[in-house]
Amino acid sequence: MTDFIAQARAILKTNDRGGYTVPTDRLYPFQWNWDSAFVAMGFAAYDVPRAYRELERLAEGQWADGMIPHIVFHAPSDSYFPGPDVWRTSHTIATSGITQPPVFGMALKRVHDAAVDSGLVNATERSAPLFEAALCWHRWWYAARDPEQTGLVALLHPWESGSDNSPAWDIALARVPTTTETAVVRKDTGHVDQAMRPRDEDYRRFIHLVDTYAACGWDPERQWKAAPFKIAEVQTTAILLRSGEELERLAVMLGRTEEAAELRQMNTLSRKALLAQWRPHLRRFVSRDLISEEDVEAPTQAGFIPLLALDLEPAILDAACAEMESWASGLAVAFPSTPQAFAGFEAKRYWRGPVWGVINWLLIAGLRRNGRVDLAEGLRAATVQVVERQGFAEYFDPLTGEGCGGLDFSWTAAAYIEFTRKAA
């Protein structure tokens, strides 16, 4: 009988680069922000000191203004574009100039709890500086990405969502020019079938945005004014709120009363704002395009991630769950990043249809929070089964269950550890 837990742990060990974990060899040779947060939660199940180290290495890349970048370039590699020379940031450690969904707070609370449960004597000592890093990052989110204090934080680049080529960005991204000052020399399609990756046109727009913000000196106020792409996003806000709740609990545990109150204020603001993004006729939550001042109605998994951070009233919960079930119906594996019935659906192209283990992780947590244990368990079991059939792929074709993208993927291994831990 195959020991899949041993395989998952072996993948994390293989992808270890000295206290930080790359998502997979060659395709992603650096430390990615939300990948590492999920990985830290995977490590927490069996190696708490290593889990702490994952977060500590990520925090090494934190900027003076509090932002934790989406990539930390700890060591050079020529297998990825865009590298440090394209980002043109100026920090002690080379990093990208944008951020990613703040799973960090959720991860830190999980790691701290595991440390306490395991009797680790220096749990508070290890957690305290990471709490400071997380709090500073949350302050950055509300200052830099919600300057009008709406409670919804905005993204200035599709990469910040983690869902790079999602149909949610099609309309807004089409307004971004394809002209760039930077030669676009893609490396990803040398490692993975180009049919599974964003298009060349997408990349030119992505790099145009990088050029735009680099010209602003990566100053948040200047970027906000110059941004041709600006989406107040429900998935990122929901993750921020859930992490904020976890940090608020951790602040109480650490005796940080004032910081707990500050986090509570942030969380209250975002909770109210997220609830206001529910659209009954769509049976999901929607993001907001701050340039066109219109709802982002393209159907994606982001519309259900608010379950992670909200305690929904029965009518809203029932409607959201019914919509989720309709998306999952007839698929080899759920949950799709966009529904099969949508015109923009592509079963194998990155965030335009495929199933992602970490998105299922967030959805399962949201369903459990809201008492829908039946749907949560079905999604958990299906994710475990597809990994055991297809391996620890980056993502999966929802129509066939085929593993796609990078192989031996760290966050899929972490998700498997999480899902089997819950089952135990």
Side-chain angles (χ1 to χ4, degrees):
M1 184 175 179
T2 304
D3 187 342
F4 292 102
I5 288 290
Q7 284 190 14
R9 292 185 181 186
I11 287 169
L12 296 185
K13 183 176 181 179
T14 298
N15 291 338
D16 188 327
R17 294 296 181 271
Y20 69 92
T21 307
V22 299
T24 190
D25 191 40
R26 301 291 294 169
L27 179 60
Y28 300 109
F30 307 111
Q31 185 177 26
W32 260 260
N33 188 322
W34 73 327
D35 292 71
S36 271
F38 286 112
V39 164
M41 290 190 280
F43 275 127
Y46 65 97
D47 189 345
V48 174
R50 181 60 184 80
Y52 270 121
R53 192 66 187 134
E54 189 75 29
L55 298 179
E56 289 164 350
R57 293 304 312 268
L58 181 59
E60 288 175 11
Q62 185 166 36
W63 288 20
D65 66 3
M67 184 186 78
I68 300 181
H70 94 297
I71 307 173
V72 183
F73 300 106
H74 291 288
S77 173
D78 61 0
S79 68
Y80 178 80
F81 173 87
D85 57 325
V86 176
W87 289 101
R88 292 158 277 174
T89 60
S90 54
H91 293 273
T92 305
I93 298 176
T95 73
S96 65
I98 59 175
T99 192
Q100 252 187 344
V103 181
F104 191 101
M106 296 167 54
L108 176 56
K109 178 60 162 53
R110 172 69 63 81
V111 173
H112 180 81
D113 288 346
V116 171
D117 290 345
S118 66
L120 194 69
V121 293
N122 62 341
T124 297
E125 180 183 332
R126 295 292 291 270
S127 295
L130 292 171
F131 171 80
E132 290 288 348
L135 177 60
C136 288
W137 190 20
H138 279 237
R139 287 170 176 159
W140 177 89
W141 272 108
Y142 287 99
R145 296 307 176 78
D146 185 25
E148 297 178 4
Q149 298 184 320
T150 68
L152 290 178
V153 295
L155 309 177
L156 303 188
H157 196 298
W159 284 339
E160 293 193 310
S161 69
S163 308
D164 303 8
N165 67 330
S166 169
W169 320 134
D170 286 357
I171 294 174
L173 197 60
R175 298 193 298 259
V176 176
T178 57
T179 55
T180 75
E181 303 168 6
T182 302
V184 178
V185 185
R186 295 183 65 177
K187 304 292 184 72
D188 57 320
T189 50
H191 306 299
V192 172
D193 186 339
Q194 64 181 2
M196 298 181 186
R197 300 292 297 172
R199 303 168 301 163
D200 286 346
E201 180 182 337
D202 296 328
Y203 256 80
R204 289 194 296 273
R205 297 185 198 279
F206 294 158
I207 300 303
H208 178 93
L209 291 172
V210 172
D211 289 342
T212 298
Y213 304 142
C216 294
W218 300 106
D219 176 75
E221 290 187 16
R222 292 174 62 193
Q223 290 178 74
W224 186 265
K225 292 175 182 176
F229 179 97
K230 192 184 299 182
I231 305 289
E233 212 253 332
V234 292
Q235 175 169 287
T236 302
T237 301
I239 292 171
L240 181 70
L241 174 53
R242 179 60 178 262
S243 281
E245 291 177 333
E246 296 295 84
L247 289 174
E248 182 184 336
R249 295 184 183 102
L250 182 57
V252 172
M253 296 170 71
L254 296 176
R256 306 291 290 272
T257 306
E258 291 183 8
E259 290 85 348
E262 180 185 357
L263 286 159
R264 192 172 304 115
Q265 285 187 323
M266 296 177 186
N267 296 340
T268 299
L269 184 67
S270 286
R271 191 173 294 113
K272 181 179 180 181
L274 267 182
L275 283 168
Q277 294 307 113
W278 172 254
R279 298 294 180 265
H281 66 290
L282 298 174
R283 301 198 298 185
R284 50 187 165 82
F285 295 84
V286 300
S287 298
R288 185 80 174 167
D289 188 325
L290 297 181
I291 293 178
S292 69
E293 298 185 347
E294 295 178 347
D295 282 352
V296 178
E297 293 197 350
T300 73
Q301 84 289 338
F304 306 102
I305 299 296
L307 273 73
L308 177 71
L310 299 175
D311 301 307
L312 298 176
E313 61 182 58
I316 293 177
L317 177 62
D318 289 347
C321 289
E323 184 69 7
M324 288 181 70
E325 288 181 293
S326 74
W327 287 28
S329 178
L331 298 181
V333 63
F335 192 75
S337 43
T338 199
Q340 184 181 1
F342 179 60
F345 175 85
E346 295 181 75
K348 288 183 169 60
R349 194 181 295 278
Y350 215 41
W351 290 92
R352 302 188 71 85
V355 171
W356 297 75
V358 293
I359 291 299
N360 286 1
W361 188 336
L362 299 175
L363 291 172
I364 288 165
L367 289 165
R368 284 184 170 142
R369 174 182 184 138
N370 282 276
R372 292 305 303 266
V373 180
D374 54 336
L375 294 183
E377 174 54 23
L379 194 53
R380 185 204 66 80
T383 311
V384 168
Q385 289 166 10
V386 76
V387 169
E388 292 179 352
R389 289 196 305 267
Q390 293 290 322
F392 296 89
E394 183 175 6
Y395 51 86
F396 302 89
D397 182 326
L399 302 183
T400 66
E402 177 189 351
C404 301
L407 303 178
D408 295 335
F409 219 81
S410 295
W411 72 5
T412 307
Y416 185 86
I417 292 168
E418 167 72 4
F419 295 154
T420 50
R421 184 185 72 85
K422 289 289 185 182

